[in-house]
Amino acid sequence: MAIPLQIRVQALAAQLLYTLPRPVRRLIAGRPIRLDGQELALDAQLLLRLQQLSGTELVGRSVRGSRTAIDEARHLVSGKPIQPVGSREVTIPAEHGDLPATLYTPEGLPEGSGMLVFYHGGGWVIGSRVSHENTARFLAKHAKVRVLSVEYRLAPEHPFPAPVEDALAAFDYAHAKASELGADQDRIAVGGDSAGGNLAAVVALRTTRRGGPAPAFQLLIYPAVDASVRRRSRELFGAGFFLTDEAMTWFMDRYVPDPDRRTDPSVSPLLAEDLSGLPPAYIATAGFDPLRDEGEAYAEQLAAAGVRVALVRQPDLIHGYVNFLGLGRRCTEATAEAAGALQVGLSRNAGR
């Protein structure tokens, strides 16, 4: 599909902006932002300044418009398609009908590699394989694994538990068809960002508790894991840092309209009575993110339950950084760290 001229011009302008000398970028971004003992990275602050100048928001007036906007935004923030990474379409059978997915394979990767079943972010309402294509490509290339990126159903057309059902179906398919997908059945991880991190955590919990096949590793990037309370980070960073308090409410009202269901561990895995026996996890949070504190609380709960967990806070970044690979170096560095953790985690946990 051809990129609209306006988007191409905006993308070029954004890329050129990030090549300007640091003092010029600082002048455009404004004075450094310091909050809660942290200083926002210049790359992230410049992105927020561009968002402010353009008047764009993460969510708009309509679901359809918001979905279109996030898919188009990849041309502005994600950079050129990461190569050499091959891709092919995969169809995952599910009870309600087939789920589309894309399998990304780095060039030269042998058969029997590790594999990540990846669930994109977007508040269970927006986002897609399209919006997260370069994120999936990046993880595949730098973690040296296959990445199966899943197009699960979205709310409000398909509210909870539909996305969870699809996420489970995708993992079960990946495990059952691992050899056909070129992967090692014992080296399958689940992962995602934000709402996708939530789904990955829920899949790890549900598969472990039911017995039978379960993931070997969890890659949870600024995951949403507790819809029951408002933590301090939501009060501190709920306005002006890309993901807003208003957007979080908008997403949850569509995903789980009934507040009484938000304490279900399949919505809020942090509230599960027993987290023991879950796969090892890498949990990344962003310092200037409303979701920061719940992700870190989940890491603490996992560790208390005896689960091996690595918690990394990227103190100078904002929510969404794994999608901002085309803007500066800082977001790429943080995402590369997650890819490295995935590579090590699947190597360490083979045959778990």
Side-chain angles (χ1 to χ4, degrees):
M1 181 183 295
I3 303 173
L5 177 60
Q6 181 182 2
I7 297 293
R8 281 186 290 169
V9 171
Q10 291 174 341
L12 179 60
Q15 291 160 11
L16 289 175
L17 185 61
Y18 276 82
T19 66
L20 294 174
R22 183 180 177 86
V24 178
R25 286 182 282 134
R26 170 53 68 194
L27 183 64
I28 296 170
R31 298 178 62 181
I33 295 175
R34 298 183 178 92
L35 187 58
D36 201 31
Q38 308 167 133
E39 181 174 324
L40 188 63
L42 176 56
D43 285 350
Q45 189 175 342
L46 193 58
L47 172 62
L48 294 176
R49 181 60 174 157
L50 291 175
Q51 183 188 26
Q52 181 185 39
L53 292 172
S54 66
T56 59
E57 299 290 343
L58 180 59
V59 295
R61 294 183 179 180
S62 71
V63 170
R64 178 179 294 182
S66 298
R67 289 173 180 167
T68 300
I70 194 173
D71 282 353
E72 289 183 346
R74 76 189 191 280
H75 299 300
L76 304 178
V77 299
S78 295
K80 297 179 180 179
I82 292 169
Q83 300 292 356
V85 179
S87 65
R88 69 178 175 93
E89 296 304 291
V90 174
T91 299
I92 300 172
E95 287 188 10
H96 66 84
D98 292 340
L99 294 175
T102 303
L103 182 67
Y104 296 99
T105 304
E107 185 179 79
L109 190 69
E111 294 293 306
S113 71
M115 181 164 62
L116 171 69
V117 181
F118 181 78
Y119 311 109
H120 66 77
W124 310 274
V125 178
I126 63 176
S128 66
R129 290 175 296 157
V130 171
S131 66
H132 284 65
E133 178 180 1
N134 238 19
T135 304
R137 285 179 172 273
F138 185 97
L139 292 172
K141 179 177 180 179
H142 291 276
K144 297 179 175 59
V145 298
R146 287 169 167 80
V147 174
L148 184 66
S149 182
V150 182
E151 199 76 73
Y152 56 89
R153 290 172 293 170
L154 298 176
E157 299 92 336
H158 305 285
F160 174 79
V164 171
E165 293 169 351
D166 291 353
L168 284 164
F171 171 76
D172 287 341
Y173 173 85
H175 188 271
K177 302 294 184 181
S179 61
E180 296 178 23
L181 298 172
D184 179 349
Q185 193 176 57
D186 294 325
R187 297 174 60 210
I188 300 177
V190 290
D193 62 307
S194 193
N198 168 275
L199 293 175
V202 170
V203 168
L205 178 63
R206 293 274 294 266
T207 54
T208 299
R209 290 292 163 262
R210 76 183 180 187
F217 191 74
Q218 306 177 69
L219 184 74
L220 311 181
I221 302 173
Y222 37 81
V225 288
D226 185 3
S228 69
V229 298
R230 297 175 62 89
R231 287 181 167 78
R232 179 171 172 269
S233 60
R234 184 162 176 174
E235 304 301 335
L236 284 174
F237 309 113
F241 296 101
F242 186 66
L243 176 63
T244 65
D245 175 69
E246 183 180 2
M248 291 174 67
T249 299
W250 189 86
F251 288 134
M252 187 55 64
D253 285 347
R254 284 154 181 78
Y255 180 48
V256 191
D258 181 358
D260 291 338
R261 303 191 71 184
R262 296 176 186 175
T263 57
D264 186 322
S266 289
V267 176
S268 301
L270 179 60
L271 303 182
E273 292 184 2
D274 182 10
L275 294 173
S276 63
L278 266 64
Y282 169 89
I283 298 179
T285 63
F288 290 78
D289 183 353
L291 290 175
R292 183 192 70 186
D293 290 357
E294 65 189 79
E296 295 179 1
Y298 191 54
E300 293 173 4
Q301 290 283 83
L302 288 173
V307 176
R308 190 166 71 240
V309 56
L311 170 63
V312 175
R313 179 192 291 188
Q314 305 292 349
D316 55 345
L317 292 181
I318 59 175
H319 189 89
Y321 66 76
V322 298
N323 288 98
F324 306 147
L325 300 174
L327 301 178
R329 293 187 298 181
R330 183 64 190 95
C331 296
T332 301
E333 291 170 353
T335 309
E337 182 174 329
L342 174 62
Q343 182 180 15
V344 170
L346 283 180
S347 298
R348 180 180 296 166
N349 297 295
R352 175 181 175 272

